[in-house]
């Protein structure tokens, strides 16, 4: 999942991804997105981003000038696209050759209500901004 996320974030959103400091407290994302996927296996992909990571990624993806304000609707659309891309890239790497159907990414009002027990959870440092990815393949 790390390489899939790194590739999408660096090539499409021009965000450098580094390993986070393990001694730092985990980030508390401000933005959460969810993508259901159906296939073998079926599950749910969650993407959580800090306010800073969301703003940076949206500005970079839209080609905005540094420091330019991005409308909330535009940020949401960019983050939906990001969640779709990272989920698709991750599933392509994990289940090579299998077909999956992905739902439209949904913006959540807060953190996911369900905390997956056996999920793959990955925290990334995006140049000082934090992103957290969860892949829950036990959801049916």
């Amino acid at each position: 999942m790390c390489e899939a996320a790194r590739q999408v974030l660096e090539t499409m959103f021009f965000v450098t991804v580094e390993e986070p400091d393990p001694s730092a407290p985990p980030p508390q994302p401000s933005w959460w997105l969810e993508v259901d996927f159906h296939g073998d296996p079926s599950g749910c992909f969650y993407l959580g981003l800090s306010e800073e990571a969301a703003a940076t990624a949206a500005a970079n993806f839209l080609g905005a000038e540094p420091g330019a304000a991005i409308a909330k609707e535009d940020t949401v659309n960019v983050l939906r696209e990001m969640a779709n891309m990272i989920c698709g890239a991750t599933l392509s790497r994990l289940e090579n050759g299998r077909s999956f159907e992905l739902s439209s990414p949904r913006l959540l009002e807060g953190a996911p209500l369900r905390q997956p027990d056996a999920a793959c959870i990955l925290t990334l440092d995006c140049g000082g901004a934090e992103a957290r990815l969860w892949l829950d393949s036990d959801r049916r």
Side-chain angles (χ1 to χ4, degrees):
M1 186 165 57
C2 183
E3 283 309 310
R6 181 186 311 273
Q7 182 179 15
V8 169
L9 290 170
E10 290 182 351
T11 60
M12 300 302 297
F13 298 90
F14 310 105
V15 174
T16 302
V17 177
E18 300 172 8
E19 294 297 319
D21 179 354
S23 65
Q28 297 302 315
S30 300
W31 297 81
W32 280 100
L33 293 101
E34 174 182 61
V35 180
D36 291 317
F37 58 91
H38 301 282
D40 183 21
S42 293
C44 192
F45 174 84
Y46 297 100
L47 172 63
L49 294 104
S50 67
E51 194 68 43
E52 181 184 358
T56 299
N60 289 352
F61 189 76
L62 296 171
E65 293 294 321
I70 305 296
K72 182 177 179 179
E73 181 179 341
D74 292 335
T75 299
V76 169
N77 288 335
V78 168
L79 297 182
R80 284 183 177 140
E81 187 62 32
M82 177 190 289
N84 188 56
M85 286 182 197
I86 295 174
C87 181
T90 299
L91 292 173
S92 293
R93 289 173 185 250
L94 292 177
E95 302 295 336
N96 195 12
R98 295 186 186 173
S99 295
F100 291 92
E101 182 180 318
L102 278 63
S103 70
S104 295
R106 293 175 302 282
L107 180 66
L108 303 177
E109 293 296 319
L113 297 176
R114 193 172 103 72
Q115 302 265 336
D117 294 328
C120 175
I121 300 172
L122 174 66
T123 301
L124 300 173
D125 181 344
C126 305
E130 297 283 345
R132 179 180 293 181
L133 310 174
W134 292 353
L135 180 63
D136 178 7
S137 61
D138 292 333
R139 185 171 167 175
R140 300 281 177 222

